[in-house]
Amino acid sequence: MVAVRMDRLFLTMCILEALWLLVAQVLGNTIILLACLACFLLLSVWAAIKGMALPVLMFFLPFSSLVKLQPGTISFFTLAMLAVFAVCALFKSKNVSVYHFIPVLVLAAQTLLVKTLTGTMISNQYMMFMAALLLVPYLVREVNGNYDFHWLTVFFSLGIILAAISSQYLLVFPSIRQYIDTAAMIGSTTRVSGFFGDPNFYSAHITAALGGALAILIEGEDKKRTLSIVVIIALLVYCGMLSISKSFMLVAICLFVFWFIGYMFKKGKMSTKITVILTLMIGAGFLLSSTVFVDMFDALVARFGRDSNISDFTTGRTELWASYLREFEEDPLLLFFGKGYSNVLVNGRASHNTILQAVFQFGLVGCISLLVWFVYFTRTWLKGLEIRSNKSVQAFIVLIGSFGPWMAIDILFLDEFFLIPIYVGVAMLFLFDKSLSEKEPA
């Protein structure tokens, strides 16, 4: 009997399920779509039982806006994520400290008090956020089992690539187009955003996966894995350029600069390093020679060319940040206690900065509770890791790729707020856990 590896089995099922989802949304058939969503929930729960939940969730994260019965309803992706957390809490609750409950309960008490005083309703989104804070630490117990950081990055990257490429052809169908809020244009060039309405949220996924792939490329010694990662990097860069996003371009340039520094200074044969760099250069040359890439690059250069001040460079974000800071200045209670995780904006505009958004929603007091939760969470999970300076460049690449875009978007109300930090945590285990770093690739 031929044994099938768990990671390959689940990757195949994820691809088939994603294709089914796309067909169901194109047809707009409720029965087919409902069956697809039910199978997605079952797949997610089964993955949690088998210790493959995080790769499945990361694969479908770029499809999360499509995993719905109709626009405006709750995403089945969020339901699946909570179901996964609950299953992990049920089966993997051993060896997980419950101290993270305390800051969550304190934060819940504070936000409920703010909601009561301001007359704000308790939304389903609020309940799910608090439930996720309580349950997400149990998910990390599956890490280091049936997959490693390489396979997690492969799942995440292939989900991004499949969503980005398929969206270009399927957005002509009204049944799918209705899920997308905007169709941004730069001159005659359309800004692709996958199945998201905002190219910046779409590109934030890409930079996170790109940072992980580049960190693996520095570490990798296995030729097959190195080749697969090089191909993935080329495809991610192409998908990122489709967004014509300035933030993607800036973050990507930083990632490649630090990758080059880290790769050239790592131990190893110079011939191998040159081969990998030449392979990347050939891939870059192929992209640069394509007409589509030239059009995208010209549109991106044109965006930067129109910048005459800091406001233009940040696409008006400095004014938005200033308006939120003025709110804090005018209302000290808001600065300390926030809005209680309510869907409230200043002048109808989002803050476009996750730190500002967190202070606006939770206040400084609530942010302290959230920070304490995060410390308990990471200490329990990453306890005993040996931080080594020779891995600092790789760690920095992952951190910049994952959290750099958060300084220009609001992430607090999205599932990425939980999943991306876990992805970073797996990367830190890969880099600093000696047993994992020296593990032979399967």
Side-chain angles (χ1 to χ4, degrees), residues 96 256 259 328 440:
V96 176
F256 277 103
W259 170 82
F328 296 142
E440 289 294 326

Side-chain angles (χ1 to χ4, degrees), residues 70-379:
Q70 58 186 13
T73 59
I74 188 170
S75 173
F76 274 61
F77 181 87
T78 301
L79 296 177
M81 188 179 74
L82 290 176
V84 163
F85 292 166
V87 170
C88 290
L90 182 63
F91 291 100
K92 307 176 189 295
S93 58
K94 297 179 181 179
N95 302 322
V96 176
S97 172
V98 296
Y99 286 114
H100 72 275
F101 281 16
I102 299 174
V104 176
L105 294 177
V106 171
L107 182 63
Q110 176 199 319
T111 50
L112 287 173
L113 178 61
V114 171
K115 285 180 177 295
T116 301
L117 295 176
T118 59
T120 306
M121 296 292 293
I122 299 176
S123 64
N124 292 332
Q125 193 173 38
Y126 172 82
M127 298 296 292
M128 290 181 178
F129 181 83
M130 292 299 168
L133 285 178
L134 290 172
L135 297 175
V136 69
Y138 297 106
L139 174 62
V140 302
R141 306 315 301 175
E142 76 168 28
V143 175
N144 307 339
N146 295 318
Y147 62 91
D148 56 14
F149 182 62
H150 172 270
W151 271 102
L152 182 60
T153 301
V154 168
F155 271 79
F156 189 22
S157 301
L158 290 183
I160 292 170
I161 293 165
L162 179 58
I165 294 176
S166 62
S167 68
Q168 296 183 73
Y169 302 97
L170 298 182
L171 286 182
V172 297
F173 295 96
S175 55
I176 284 186
R177 188 59 175 267
Q178 63 181 331
Y179 289 92
I180 309 302
D181 296 329
T182 60
M185 298 284 293
I186 300 294
S188 60
T189 306
T190 302
R191 297 183 67 187
V192 174
S193 56
F195 294 111
F196 287 83
D198 190 320
N200 293 314
F201 284 97
Y202 156 82
S203 63
H205 288 175
I206 297 174
T207 58
L210 184 60
L214 289 172
I216 293 171
L217 191 59
I218 294 178
E219 289 292 300
E221 298 293 342
D222 181 74
K223 292 181 179 179
K224 290 183 179 180
R225 285 194 166 196
T226 298
L227 180 60
S228 66
I229 287 296
V230 169
V231 173
I232 283 174
I233 289 171
L235 291 172
L236 286 173
V237 171
Y238 170 74
C239 294
M241 291 299 296
L242 289 172
S243 68
I244 315 179
S245 168
K246 291 193 290 186
S247 61
F248 167 78
M249 192 66 176
L250 293 172
V251 173
I253 289 174
C254 289
L255 294 180
F256 277 103
V257 168
F258 282 101
W259 170 82
F260 183 80
I261 294 172
Y263 193 70
M264 293 307 295
F265 281 93
K266 69 166 289 192
K267 294 180 180 179
K269 294 181 179 179
M270 182 58 67
S271 60
T272 303
K273 297 179 182 180
I274 294 175
T275 301
V276 172
I277 292 174
L278 286 177
T279 303
L280 287 175
M281 290 177 65
I282 292 172
F286 174 78
L287 290 176
L288 288 170
S289 64
S290 66
T291 303
V292 175
F293 186 88
V294 170
D295 291 341
M296 292 185 297
F297 188 77
D298 288 343
L300 191 55
V301 171
R303 291 197 71 195
F304 281 104
R306 291 196 296 266
D307 297 342
S308 58
N309 51 53
I310 189 64
S311 177
D312 293 337
F313 182 74
T314 61
T315 323
R317 284 177 173 80
T318 50
E319 283 82 359
L320 291 175
W321 300 337
S323 66
Y324 274 79
L325 292 175
R326 283 194 296 270
E327 287 291 315
F328 296 142
E329 184 179 356
E330 295 171 1
D331 187 354
L333 289 178
L334 174 65
L335 175 62
F336 283 99
F337 300 106
K339 288 290 186 179
Y341 198 79
S342 303
N343 191 16
V344 179
L345 304 174
V346 174
N347 300 323
R349 298 291 304 278
S351 64
H352 285 77
N353 183 286
T354 301
I355 296 177
L356 269 180
Q357 185 189 28
V359 176
F360 184 73
Q361 292 295 337
F362 298 124
L364 295 177
V365 175
C367 285
I368 292 174
S369 297
L370 196 62
L371 181 61
V372 172
W373 170 85
F374 184 75
V375 170
Y376 275 125
F377 173 38
T378 53
R379 284 183 62 185

Side-chain angles (χ1 to χ4, degrees), residues 387-424:
I387 306 300
R388 300 187 295 276
S389 59
N390 63 325
K391 305 286 186 178
S392 58
V393 173
Q394 295 96 305
F396 188 73
I397 288 172
V398 174
L399 291 170
I400 289 296
S402 299
F403 297 128
W406 288 25
M407 298 303 100
I409 58 176
D410 302 272
I411 212 77
L412 197 63
F413 284 82
L414 302 179
D415 299 320
E416 287 86 340
F417 181 76
F418 299 101
L419 295 180
I420 295 298
I422 298 178
Y423 177 75
V424 172

